[in-house]
Amino acid sequence: MIRSIKTYRLQHKLTESFGFSQWHYDVRNALIVEVIDDSGAVGWGECYGPATVTQNAIDTFYAPLLIGWDPLRNEAAWQHCWRASLDFAMKGPMMGAISGLDMALLDLKGKLLGVSVSELMGGRVRDRVQGYATSMYFRKQPESELLETLLDEARDCVARGFGALKIKVGKNMAFDRRLIVAMREALPDTQLMADSNHAYDLPEAVKVGKLLAELDYAWFEEPLSPEMRRQFSELASKVDVPIATGECEQTRFGFQDLLSHGGVHIAQPDLAYCGGPTEALKIRAIASSKGVNVLPHCWGTQLNLASAVHFVATTSVEPGRAEVAEPLLETDLTRNPMRDEMFGQSVQIEHGELTVPTGPGLGVEPDREALANYCVQKTEKTDA
Ligand code: MG
């Protein structure tokens, strides 16, 4: 029985800001949730989205619904939360709150049953997951300097063993073109992807997409704004580069609708936002029925990373074949002490490969002392 649900809002001020097509980050925020049952066993989860809002949603709305709940009934818990807030929370930060709880319940269930999250997800297809490096964010530098910074950073990623990496585009058309071309010239044998974070209108996306196709980029991520669903198929009919999107999308219903419009080749739910790891499995089932592969968006701490590693470990690539291309997991290489210095147990990354944890639950565990150092606000709901 769930006895207590705690949230920790974490913050880290960056020494150097970094940016993408929409804005620059000066501070990192994270929202961690801890679910404790009456045996004292603990499950951890993470919510992607505005941390103050998800914290409030858990503390004041969802935690009271789940106190006293049997943690083994995790899918029923999801439905309970979903139905209780269906009238006003089918999408948005409240779904982010449900996602973190879903992740924590899965971690807790794994620990109670003595099995890993990948075993709860149906069992591993692979024990190691190939990562692709996410980095190459914009800096507040003159563009010629910035171009060199980004090329150096990309070479560093390759030197660390990553055979695939993703750059940010969507700054402005002239710079984007220079960057896309320079990156391919610098790294002729590396798998490259480009992410605009929904910066382009359709004519711009067509121009960039053609360039990416010509230079053999592996995918074009968020080329268009997520609400412009109908434009994706139009873009796909005009460019030959695979199109990836979905980090702003949530739930099986959202992805069913998104994919029904066509033009999306790779679906990218974030497990800390899409409704949680169990909802991501349903999204994967829907995507698979349309021949679309799911490669999660992954950002934040070890909790979201471990969830995504377990998820990709259980992914069967569509279509199957003897020498199938391995699914790639987003591996954020930007400096983040809340990911790299806050956990007693972390996902091991070596030569661009992530080892799937085999211990019970997610297989990563925050260090409580380190957690306290980043915590700016804590909440707790108990059965008392
Ligand atoms: Mg992205």
Side-chain angles (χ1 to χ4, degrees):
M1 190 184 88
I2 294 172
R3 193 186 68 202
S4 163
I5 296 181
K6 299 179 185 177
T7 67
Y8 305 84
R9 187 157 59 80
L10 312 178
Q11 210 165 68
H12 172 68
K13 290 196 173 59
L14 299 167
T15 45
E16 189 200 0
S17 78
F18 64 90
F20 63 115
S21 67
Q22 305 298 334
W23 64 76
H24 273 251
Y25 284 101
D26 295 309
V27 61
R28 282 185 192 272
N29 293 291
L31 199 277
I32 304 293
V33 55
E34 180 186 14
V35 177
I36 305 153
D37 89 340
D38 51 8
S39 73
V42 162
W44 295 95
E46 174 172 4
C47 307
Y48 177 61
T52 50
V53 182
T54 45
Q55 181 167 44
N56 210 0
I58 291 176
D59 186 52
T60 64
F61 193 88
Y62 295 116
L65 292 175
L66 295 178
I67 298 294
W69 194 271
D70 173 0
L72 297 182
R73 296 175 60 217
N74 60 310
E75 296 236 6
W78 195 99
Q79 286 298 331
H80 186 49
C81 291
W82 166 255
R83 209 163 52 76
S85 53
L86 182 70
D87 292 17
F88 40 80
M90 286 169 68
K91 281 188 187 179
M94 286 184 77
M95 187 49 65
I98 291 181
S99 305
L101 286 164
D102 183 70
M103 192 185 293
L105 283 173
L106 207 57
D107 184 35
L108 178 54
K109 183 175 187 171
K111 287 168 176 166
L112 291 173
L113 298 178
V115 295
S116 68
V117 163
S118 35
E119 282 161 324
L120 292 177
M121 287 177 163
R124 288 183 286 281
V125 179
R126 55 189 66 76
D127 295 320
R128 294 165 89 78
V129 167
Q130 264 180 39
Y132 72 83
T134 281
S135 199
M136 284 66 76
Y137 281 80
F138 303 143
R139 314 295 208 289
K140 289 174 178 165
Q141 290 177 332
E143 287 188 348
S144 55
E145 229 174 275
L146 176 61
L147 190 66
E148 285 311 312
T149 302
L150 298 177
L151 289 169
D152 284 347
E153 208 171 295
R155 290 187 195 103
D156 271 0
C157 295
V158 173
R160 287 175 68 172
F162 284 88
L165 44 100
K166 189 167 80 188
I167 62 168
K168 290 291 176 187
V169 293
K171 189 172 187 294
N172 62 66
M173 289 295 278
F175 181 79
D176 295 345
R177 275 201 196 94
R178 280 172 64 204
L179 175 63
I180 290 164
V181 171
M183 210 44 91
R184 178 46 85 209
E185 281 172 357
L187 301 169
D189 303 319
T190 302
Q191 194 170 356
L192 294 173
M193 292 79 86
D195 184 0
S196 100
N197 295 91
H198 48 79
Y200 299 125
D201 64 19
L202 183 58
E204 289 170 331
V206 170
K207 281 184 194 155
V208 174
K210 284 185 172 165
L211 183 61
L212 293 173
E214 186 190 316
L215 297 174
D216 199 27
Y217 275 62
W219 72 69
F220 187 6
E221 180 166 323
E222 286 203 295
L224 299 162
S225 211
E227 71 274 31
M228 297 298 155
R229 290 171 185 278
R230 288 170 201 284
Q231 292 185 353
F232 281 84
S233 59
E234 204 175 332
L235 175 63
S237 72
K238 291 178 174 153
V239 302
D240 287 330
V241 63
I243 291 166
T245 196
E247 64 187 77
C248 303
E249 193 51 74
Q250 293 173 305
T251 78
R252 73 201 88 154
F253 310 105
F255 276 88
Q256 151 70 30
D257 183 63
L258 171 68
L259 299 179
S260 72
H261 289 92
V264 177
H265 304 98
I266 298 158
Q268 300 174 302
D270 187 306
L271 273 54
Y273 183 70
C274 72
T278 68
E279 190 63 11
L281 297 174
K282 297 173 174 100
I283 292 165
R284 185 163 71 186
I286 286 168
S288 137
S289 76
K290 296 175 188 298
V292 169
N293 283 302
V294 176
L295 303 178
H297 171 260
C298 187
W299 183 254
T301 80
Q302 290 284 329
L303 295 166
N304 199 20
L305 179 63
S307 301
V309 167
H310 285 292
F311 181 85
V312 174
T314 61
T315 291
S316 295
V317 176
E318 303 286 345
R321 62 171 183 256
E323 293 180 29
V324 77
E326 281 294 296
L328 291 171
L329 176 59
E330 176 157 40
T331 312
D332 171 24
L333 296 185
T334 59
R335 202 184 105 69
N336 183 359
M338 296 193 296
R339 181 194 62 226
D340 297 335
E341 292 158 29
M342 203 181 72
F343 284 76
Q345 254 177 289
S346 299
V347 175
Q348 297 307 304
I349 307 175
E350 236 183 319
H351 308 301
E353 278 191 336
L354 301 95
T355 303
V356 187
T358 51
L362 288 170
V364 294
E365 205 69 31
D367 175 279
R368 287 184 187 274
E369 220 171 288
L371 185 76
N373 288 337
Y374 295 101
C375 187
V376 290
Q377 194 183 355
K378 189 179 163 185
T379 67
E380 180 171 6
K381 279 277 175 300
T382 64
D383 57 359

